[in-house]
Amino acid sequence: MQHLLETAESTLQELEAMKTRGYGTLTNHERCSFCDGTLLGNQFYLFPCAHGFHTVCLLREAHKTLPIGQLPVLKSVEESLKLLTMKVKDLDTRARSQQEALQQELDGFIGADCPLCGYAMINLIGKSLISNEEMAKDAFKWSF
Ligand SMILES: [Zn+2]
Ligand SMILES: [Zn+2]
């Protein structure tokens, strides 16, 4: 049982790590699933399903799919982030943490789910791992 639990946990950790690692890292020859351009050298998101997208492509898509009420919010986050990034060289600590907060807000809009695979990839995987574990527990009980 302990072993199964550890496996489930480390798989989830791995997924989380993939999520964080994917953002902004220059890795391989992955291509953007929207425009088929190479991800290398651009700001991009890589989802646990291995779909990768340019940040700009995700934003373009978000503009099309976001509920009308949320669009102005996204646009103002984008705008503030752009302004901050433009003067990135002389950012003080406060501006830097402001930039991070904005970036996180942006992540919430475009980095939460893979637009091709639908919603809550990680949650779905997590659930199936737990139910396997439940099944194993039952099997264990039955063996007595
Ligand atoms: Zn693209
Ligand atoms: Zn995907």
Side-chain angles (χ1 to χ4, degrees), residues 47 49-51 53 114-117 121:
F47 290 93
C49 55
H51 278 129
F53 307 91
C114 169
L116 293 185
C117 296
M121 259 304 275

Side-chain angles (χ1 to χ4, degrees), residues 33-113:
S33 297
F34 280 143
C35 71
D36 205 37
T38 171
L39 295 177
L40 195 79
N42 297 288
Q43 204 183 26
F44 66 92
Y45 285 76
L46 191 64
F47 290 93
C49 55
H51 278 129
F53 307 91
H54 295 124
T55 304
V56 282
C57 292
L58 277 177
L59 281 172
R60 203 187 304 131
E61 188 66 14
H63 285 179
K64 283 189 257 168
T65 54
L66 266 189
I68 291 191
Q70 289 194 42
L71 199 52
V73 188
L74 173 60
K75 281 188 173 160
S76 82
V77 172
E78 260 183 83
E79 206 47 46
S80 327
L81 197 59
K82 212 179 287 171
L83 284 174
L84 268 177
T85 314
M86 264 159 52
K87 44 179 186 181
V88 74
K89 285 211 174 73
D90 41 61
L91 278 190
D92 55 23
T93 322
R94 209 181 55 128
R96 217 172 275 277
S97 63
Q98 203 183 344
Q99 190 191 23
E100 261 166 44
L102 284 167
Q103 184 65 55
Q104 266 175 25
E105 215 172 319
L106 197 70
D107 283 355
F109 278 110
I110 62 171
D113 299 306

